[in-house]
Amino acid sequence: MGAKRTDFIATVIIDLIVAAVVGILAFLLAYILISGLPHVSWSFLTGTTDAFSGAGGIGVQLFNSFYLLVLTMLISIPISLGAGIYLAEYAKDNWRTSLIRSAIEVLSSLPSVVVGLFGFLLFVVKFKIGFSVISGAIALTFFNLPLLTRNIEESLSAVPRNQREAGLSLGLSKWKTEIGIILPVALPGIVTGIVLSAGRVFGEAAALIYTAGQSAPVTNFSDWNPMDPASPLNPFRPAETLAVHIWKVNTEGLASNAAQLSAAASAVLIIAVLLFNLGARVLGNFLYRRVTASK
Amino acid sequence: MLKQYSFEKTAVQTFPDNVSLAMRTENLQVFYGANHAMHDADLGFPKNQITALIGASGSGKSTYLRSLNRMNDNIATVTGKIWYHGVDINEPNVNIYEIRRHIGMVFQRPNPFAKSIRENIVYALKANGFKGKAELEGRVETSLKGAALWDEVKDSLDKSALALSGGQQQRLCIARSIAMEPDVLLLDEPCSALDPISTVKVEETLLELQKKYSIIIVTHNMQQAARVSSQCAFFHLGHVMEYTPTATMFSNPQIPVTQDYISGSFG
Ligand SMILES: Nc1ncnc2c1ncn2[C@@H]1O[C@H](COP(=O)(O)OP(=O)(O)O)[C@@H](O)[C@H]1O
Ligand SMILES: [Mg+2]
């Protein structure tokens, strides 16, 4: 068999595999959207759920998902930024660094249901925080951290060495060089990574079932004092998210239209996640043009 | 096969007391771990002149140059003395950030920041506490003029520095260094990534700049050394073999190894 022929066959096979992957994805998306979207309405998006049957709108769950996402990011971005900068710029090549790296590897491969159970035992039960937004946010932070840290480290390491030398040779400290020169160049990549991981966090269910809980108490959306028990911002209230809601409606839902409800909620979830992915690209490109001053 | 030359037989000039030196090294040695990359370099650099460091690649020119503003900190072990304004700046307790503001450096590959042209110049100034919009603007203009780049970029100071040509980027890097108003400027093969026309521009710039700054330039282009420098040091395998006025080095090299290098038998 000639090299040309081998090459041709290989190309065809690869093309077929790619087509299959794209096809499956397109089918999945189309199926979810077509079966769900007709049932999505304004009252569905903003309405409240009947606690007993699971019927009704997803307004509170939608809010919970975003709130949990924001809290998770507030906790995990500063930590992973510190860890990423440390690993990319300061860590020496020794056993301690490789231990840290292996720990990150392991953390990133923990099944999310295990992380959820751990969060349940530690925060919910042991620390008596109960099912709450904050317990959920900490559990999500556990598997968000390794991804973000690695993304930040890689984005920083991709910035050419000679940029660092330029900063140092002008009498800037290493830290100042890092923050003022290297970080802005790496920022588009970092932000893209953050937004992509936001999409994952937004769709996570397993880790939240036992931490943020499965109930969405109706909150008072005119009370924005995080200390009030009825406030939607109270981090110590249980908060069923959209993804958990879908799981719950499907397993325990008593509503007569449970199938439609979960299809509609799935469509909303998918659209949100797609928006995160799209947003990651747009924001990354925009930031790149901004920081490099290229129009 | 490389001919063996004696490292004992060197011809390194020293300067009489009436020549004022911008800086001077005494017994400078550099080690990369076990690799002894620079032996006993004793060189003085006269003020407001251009000194060229030449030699084959791997002979230790960059190693030596980078020691002068402590860019080898955390990379190599540097022993010996580096005299600058009567102070040995190779001491561990000197403020290296301060030193680097006085001894600027331009690298082989142009490395402008991924920022606007203006920001490339003012960023380090601002970080070092230099204030005042008008004064910063003034520095932008004078340094770009000093690097002979002003006329080409004065209408596009807010454009990305990455959009400039390689030659313009390198002159921007020179401008960025001189904006700090250093007194010594170190350049490590600044033209090796540039085309001939850009090279001529950079060389003209350097000849102009020596009125204000003392310049040390590494080059492995002998024509360039001959065109711009007043004296020339020849490096070979981590040793400074010969240091003489440039005219002498190219017309009448003092020792065989320099002769062979200049006539092109190796390197
Ligand atoms: N960062 C470094 N780490 C280890 N060895 C180095 C490093 N930089 C240079 N060397 C070694 O030092 C010697 C001199 O290199 P260099 O100073 O770069 O030469 P030149 O600039 O004259 O081409 C070479 O043997 C090179 O391998
Ligand atoms: Mg070199």
Side-chain angles (χ1 to χ4, degrees), chain A residues 19-86:
Chain A
V21 171
V22 173
I24 292 172
L25 180 68
F27 172 74
L28 220 71
L29 282 179
Y31 181 81
I32 294 172
L33 292 179
I34 290 170
S35 54
L37 277 184
H39 308 294
V40 175
S41 63
W42 183 245
S43 65
F44 176 72
L45 287 176
T46 55
T48 53
T49 315
D50 175 55
F52 178 68
S53 67
I58 55 167
V60 179
Q61 286 85 351
L62 211 48
F63 175 83
N64 287 346
S65 289
F66 278 107
Y67 186 40
L68 199 58
L69 175 64
V70 170
L71 262 191
T72 304
M73 288 302 173
L74 278 181
I75 303 172
S76 48
I77 290 176
I79 300 177
S80 52
L81 205 54
I85 292 178
Y86 172 76

Side-chain angles (χ1 to χ4, degrees), chain A residues 193-218:
Chain A
I194 288 176
V195 181
L196 284 176
S197 78
R200 268 180 33 108
V201 164
F202 195 85
E204 175 59 37
L208 293 176
I209 294 171
Y210 306 111
T211 52
Q214 309 168 30
S215 61
V218 178

Side-chain angles (χ1 to χ4, degrees), chain B residues 32-33 35-38 55-64 66 72 75-76 108 188-189 218 220 235 238:
Chain B
Y32 293 106
N35 178 8
H36 194 171
M38 193 70 232
S57 95
S59 59
K61 308 179 298 291
S62 301
T63 296
Y64 178 78
R66 293 168 54 88
N72 273 340
I75 297 174
Q108 185 163 1
D188 193 351
E189 304 200 30
V218 167
H220 66 223
F235 285 58

Side-chain angles (χ1 to χ4, degrees), chain B residues 7 28 36-41 58-60 235-241:
Chain B
F7 292 124
L28 193 88
H36 194 171
M38 193 70 232
H39 301 256
D40 267 333
S59 59
F235 285 58
H236 182 60
L237 300 176
H239 295 258
V240 180
M241 301 305 293

Side-chain angles (χ1 to χ4, degrees), chain B residues 88-99:
Chain B
D88 175 12
I89 59 169
N90 199 31
E91 290 283 324
N93 57 355
V94 296
N95 178 343
I96 55 171
Y97 307 111
E98 179 81 33
I99 288 301

Side-chain angles (χ1 to χ4, degrees), chain A residues 162-163 165 168 180-181 291-292, chain B residues 66 111-112 114-115 123 160:
Chain A
N162 67 16
Q163 291 283 313
E165 297 206 300
L168 293 179
I181 293 167
V291 297
T292 61
Chain B
R66 293 168 54 88
N111 56 358
K115 298 179 188 291
Y123 184 78
S160 171

